[in-house]
Amino acid sequence: MSLRNMWESQMHIVYGTAWKKEQTAQLVEEAVTTGFRFIDTACQPKHYNEAGVGEGWYRAALKLGIDRSDMYLQTKFTPIDGQDPNRIPYDKQATLTEQVQQSLSVSLKNLNTEYLDALVLHSPLRRFEDTLIVWRQFEKFVDEGKVKVIGISNCYDLRTLQALYEEARHKPKVLQNRFYAESAFDTGIRQFCKEKGILYQSFWTLTANRHALATPDVKAIAATKQLTPQTLMYAFMMTLGHTPLSGTTNKEHMAEDVAIMERVVGGEQIFADDQEIAKFAEILGIPGHTSSLAD
């Protein structure tokens, strides 16, 4: 299946690169060599080594003989509130629009690319008016061919997402949120994303649900499918039409993640029916665990 088809089908796992510091280049190279093609990062030195991501995917591409078009590179514009005051990657005295422009220029250089597959706003700004200022510049990037699609992250208020969608000329195509009980697993937001064709990307997918994944019931289900509880979780997310992030630093786990992705992409139905999906959702504690989750 081509990269585009994998994007449209949502049957993939994104390699997440937060908190990898000086190991970033090596880990990204290993991830791509293992089979990952979707990479997420951010222009936020506080938590990401964006240049390391660029170095890592490029080294792997040379080794494998693949092209830029075989990769999906996604980064984020992080507002000042989310930056380390001592390592802001743009001029903090510049206008918000200029900060977005400068951030993109830094990202393109860091990532060794002339365009981005996706640019994501790391979080809504305090004022919705400022969020729209950022979004208008994002839209210009799309018009200029510098960015293919745009999205938003850490948006847990459905009304904010709805308002952005209504105001946007180029609609958000990606929403990346933490998938956890404290937000009721974004039940309403995920439904809105489904209705509007927005790809829901989940992070903290394993960490926030480690207790559920450690239960005997989940271990038993995973064993019958020749999976680990962790890869079963990823299969569950892909079955729902969502795209999980994996930030593993372990080569064996990378291979396991790629293997379950390939099984799903290959058409294997990991969950036998809606009842099995609902049972797994109930173990996780997802509200309204009905067959509609699999629609």
Side-chain angles (χ1 to χ4, degrees):
M1 183 178 288
S2 70
L3 192 75
R4 179 174 180 177
N5 288 339
M6 288 178 70
W7 161 265
E8 292 176 347
S9 70
Q10 304 174 6
M11 293 178 179
H12 58 274
I13 301 172
V14 176
Y15 188 66
T17 61
W19 308 302
K20 292 176 172 56
K21 300 182 179 180
E22 66 279 354
Q23 291 184 297
T24 299
Q26 176 188 342
L27 290 169
V28 170
E29 182 179 1
E30 290 174 358
V32 175
T33 301
T34 303
F36 281 94
R37 293 295 180 268
F38 294 78
I39 310 293
D40 173 82
T41 185
C43 192
Q44 184 199 32
K46 180 179 181 180
H47 295 311
Y48 293 83
N49 178 354
E50 196 179 41
V53 173
E55 180 183 348
W57 86 259
Y58 191 73
R59 288 197 318 228
L62 289 176
K63 183 188 301 182
L64 298 172
I66 62 176
D67 300 323
R68 167 67 180 88
S69 59
D70 297 313
M71 296 295 304
Y72 171 98
L73 299 179
Q74 171 178 295
T75 193
K76 307 178 194 74
F77 166 72
T78 306
I80 283 180
D81 285 354
Q83 299 282 3
D84 179 341
N86 298 313
R87 291 188 294 165
I88 300 174
Y90 47 76
D91 181 1
K92 65 181 180 180
Q93 302 299 330
T95 66
L96 186 52
T97 295
E98 290 169 339
Q99 290 174 0
V100 178
Q101 293 168 343
Q102 292 170 13
S103 182
L104 179 70
S105 295
V106 171
S107 290
L108 294 175
K109 181 180 179 180
N110 282 342
L111 294 171
N112 290 311
T113 184
E114 296 180 350
Y115 70 93
L116 294 175
D117 294 282
L119 178 62
V120 174
L121 173 56
H122 215 151
S123 64
L125 283 81
R126 295 181 184 180
R127 299 193 314 151
F128 184 69
E129 294 86 346
D130 289 335
T131 297
L132 282 183
I133 288 174
V134 173
W135 200 260
R136 295 304 179 218
Q137 184 56 54
F138 275 23
E139 291 174 328
K140 289 181 181 178
F141 292 152
V142 176
D143 294 338
E144 295 165 356
K146 295 178 180 178
V147 174
K148 290 188 175 182
V149 301
I150 50 182
I152 190 167
S153 182
N154 293 296
C155 181
Y156 301 98
D157 179 56
L158 178 56
R159 292 170 299 179
T160 298
L161 181 60
Q162 289 172 326
L164 178 61
Y165 189 90
E166 290 303 317
E167 290 284 347
R169 180 168 56 86
H170 287 297
K171 306 298 185 183
K173 293 295 184 182
V174 173
L175 172 69
Q176 185 184 117
N177 269 2
R178 185 179 284 111
F179 190 72
Y180 66 152
E182 285 81 349
S183 64
F185 295 96
D186 280 343
T187 302
I189 286 176
R190 289 188 294 116
Q191 180 61 36
F192 181 78
C193 288
K194 174 186 171 184
E195 293 169 358
K196 299 301 183 182
I198 301 171
L199 178 65
Y200 182 89
Q201 296 178 347
S202 65
F203 69 93
W204 247 38
T205 314
L206 302 182
T207 303
N209 299 288
R210 63 178 62 182
H211 296 300
L213 298 181
T215 61
D217 284 346
V218 169
K219 290 180 179 179
I221 296 171
T224 64
K225 302 177 186 302
Q226 297 180 308
L227 294 171
T228 65
Q230 291 74 25
T231 50
L232 179 66
M233 183 70 184
Y234 289 150
F236 173 73
M237 296 302 290
M238 288 186 282
T239 299
L240 297 188
H242 307 324
T243 299
L245 271 69
S246 168
T248 184
T249 59
N250 181 290
K251 285 186 179 181
E252 182 178 342
H253 293 166
M254 287 181 187
E256 291 171 348
D257 294 348
V258 170
I260 185 56
M261 185 163 44
E262 290 177 343
R263 286 172 64 178
V264 173
V265 168
E268 182 177 346
Q269 190 171 338
I270 304 298
F271 289 85
D273 49 34
D274 287 340
Q275 184 176 0
E276 194 170 46
I277 293 171
K279 179 181 179 181
F280 189 78
E282 183 177 9
I283 294 170
L284 292 174
I286 297 176
H289 43 271
T290 66
S291 61
S292 63
L293 282 168
D295 292 344

